[in-house]
Amino acid sequence: MAIAPLPIRPVRKSQPSTPDKCPATNPAAPVAPADNLVTCDLARTTVYTLGPVSMRLGLTHVDPPTSLTSGFYQVSLTLDPPSAAAWATFTAAHLHDHVAFVRDELVLEAPTIEEQVTSGKIALTTQSAQAAGQLAQLAGRPA
């Protein structure tokens, strides 16, 4: 079963928010990849202004959430070989850039790139088992 490609967008701005201030998303009429996107994260605690899609990552596997220390949970994404190579090049060229992994016009995770990623894996972390489950389900959604 193929997993839908995972869009990556640059974060132009982010600020704390409340669920009632998050813009509505309409999966039936998605924002075009070349357009900016204003949306929230899964927890609806941060509103993001995102630039156009930088790349789409092909995923071969999404691991079920695993528990880390002190209430954190991790979901590991495995990239297909072309995406692993493209992500390694992208992360090397965009050190310290703030990017967002987006699904259904919601931000799954918005890390700052600290170092080049050459492992072909991306680890997303959350603070609850429920959020980790939702993250894994959304990230691994079939194409």
Side-chain angles (χ1 to χ4, degrees):
M1 173 180 72
I3 298 171
L6 187 64
I8 308 297
R9 287 176 176 262
V11 175
R12 304 273 188 242
K13 190 168 93 177
S14 66
Q15 60 194 50
S17 185
T18 54
D20 60 300
K21 292 197 171 94
C22 285
T25 59
N26 181 359
V31 171
D35 292 343
N36 289 332
L37 172 64
V38 177
T39 190
C40 282
D41 59 346
L42 289 177
R44 299 175 71 80
T45 57
T46 307
V47 65
Y48 291 92
T49 301
L50 306 175
V53 172
S54 301
M55 64 188 314
R56 292 176 186 274
L57 297 174
L59 304 177
T60 58
H61 188 73
V62 175
D63 292 335
T66 54
S67 180
L68 302 173
T69 57
S70 66
F72 282 86
Y73 295 81
Q74 177 175 299
V75 175
S76 291
L77 313 179
T78 304
L79 305 176
D80 64 24
S83 290
W87 184 240
T89 300
F90 182 87
T91 54
H94 293 89
L95 290 176
H96 310 296
D97 285 2
H98 194 184
V99 298
F101 298 96
V102 181
R103 177 75 82 209
D104 295 344
E105 298 196 346
L106 289 171
V107 173
L108 300 183
E109 179 98 352
T112 297
I113 297 170
E114 299 294 342
E115 59 191 20
Q116 182 181 19
V117 178
T118 58
S119 65
K121 285 188 158 296
I122 295 173
L124 305 179
T125 56
T126 66
Q127 292 186 334
S128 77
Q130 180 185 356
Q134 186 181 20
L135 186 66
Q137 180 183 4
L138 280 169
R141 195 183 72 221

